[in-house]
């Protein structure tokens, strides 16, 4: 049943977006390094490690992204 659910979720390599909460349009604070931090969060599932994490969504002139393993992952890459 969980595998069926994962097929419906947005995927990038071994990462799956299970849920997105909050508002992407509202800015919570500004990070000097990464840009604007929105009030939205993403629940990610890593199929290699079988763990879930909650990541903040950032916004800059290039679009929305999250920080994962010290790298920026654009939300446009998830499909």
């Amino acid at each position: 049943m969980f595998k069926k659910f994962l097929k419906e979720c947005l995927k990038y390599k071994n990462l799956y977006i299970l849920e997105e909460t909050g508002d992407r349009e509202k800015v919570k604070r500004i990070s000097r390094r990464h840009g604007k931090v929105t009030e939205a969060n993403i629940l990610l599932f890593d199929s290699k490690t079988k763990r879930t994490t909650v990541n903040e969504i950032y916004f800059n002139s290039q679009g929305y992204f999250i920080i994962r393993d010290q790298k920026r992952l654009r939300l446009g890459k998830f499909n």
Side-chain angles (χ1 to χ4, degrees):
M1 185 168 166
F2 186 66
K3 289 183 181 182
K4 268 188 187 177
F5 174 71
L6 285 181
K7 288 181 183 179
E8 298 171 2
C9 295
L10 295 176
K11 178 186 177 191
Y12 175 71
K13 294 187 180 178
N14 62 328
L15 299 174
Y16 295 88
I17 296 178
L18 299 181
E19 182 182 19
E20 180 177 339
T21 59
D23 188 10
R24 282 189 183 188
E25 302 301 320
K26 292 185 181 177
V27 177
K28 186 171 22 175
R29 67 179 193 277
I30 296 176
S31 170
R32 290 184 185 181
R33 186 173 188 186
H34 302 296
K36 298 174 185 172
V37 182
T38 64
E39 289 187 0
N41 292 320
I42 284 185
L43 179 64
L44 275 181
F45 175 70
D46 188 347
S47 61
K48 280 186 180 177
T49 62
K50 306 282 193 269
R51 294 181 188 259
T52 59
T53 57
V54 176
N55 296 75
E56 293 180 317
I57 297 178
Y58 295 83
F59 176 74
N60 64 13
S61 61
Q62 298 173 351
Y64 293 100
F65 62 93
I66 59 171
I67 304 296
R68 175 79 180 169
D69 298 330
Q70 300 177 354
K71 295 177 186 164
R72 291 181 184 185
L73 292 178
R74 306 253 172 254
L75 291 182
K77 289 185 177 181
F78 287 86
N79 51 6

